[in-house]
Amino acid sequence: SVSSDVLIPVSAISNRAYSTLESVVGFIKDLGHSNHEVAQMLCLDDRTIWTIYDRVKKKRGIKSE
């Protein structure tokens, strides 16, 4: 069971270069959680998290595999 007790500071979602969901997914992934864990926390599909995080990495200038 995944703990969904992740507190996301307002500063984490204040960057307008990212959508709110991109900011939230990026923040949780930066804490070391897997796509599956993030998907469970947000009640979304694993593939949706992969797509959103891939978009975050591209905006950050990080190449994906």
Side-chain angles (χ1 to χ4, degrees), residues 10-39:
V10 174
S11 60
I13 58 173
S14 62
N15 186 341
R16 303 297 290 151
Y18 302 94
S19 71
T20 303
L21 190 54
E22 286 170 349
S23 295
V24 169
V25 169
F27 181 82
I28 298 173
K29 286 285 291 175
D30 289 345
L31 294 176
H33 291 282
S34 69
N35 286 350
H36 183 68
E37 291 170 337
V38 177

Side-chain angles (χ1 to χ4, degrees), residues 2 9 11 13 15 18 20 22 24-25 27 35 40 43-45 57-59 62-64:
V2 174
S11 60
I13 58 173
N15 186 341
Y18 302 94
T20 303
E22 286 170 349
V24 169
V25 169
F27 181 82
N35 286 350
Q40 286 184 319
C43 300
L44 295 170
D45 191 275
K57 288 190 293 187
K58 284 177 181 167
K59 288 183 179 182
I62 300 169
K63 297 264 191 273
S64 59

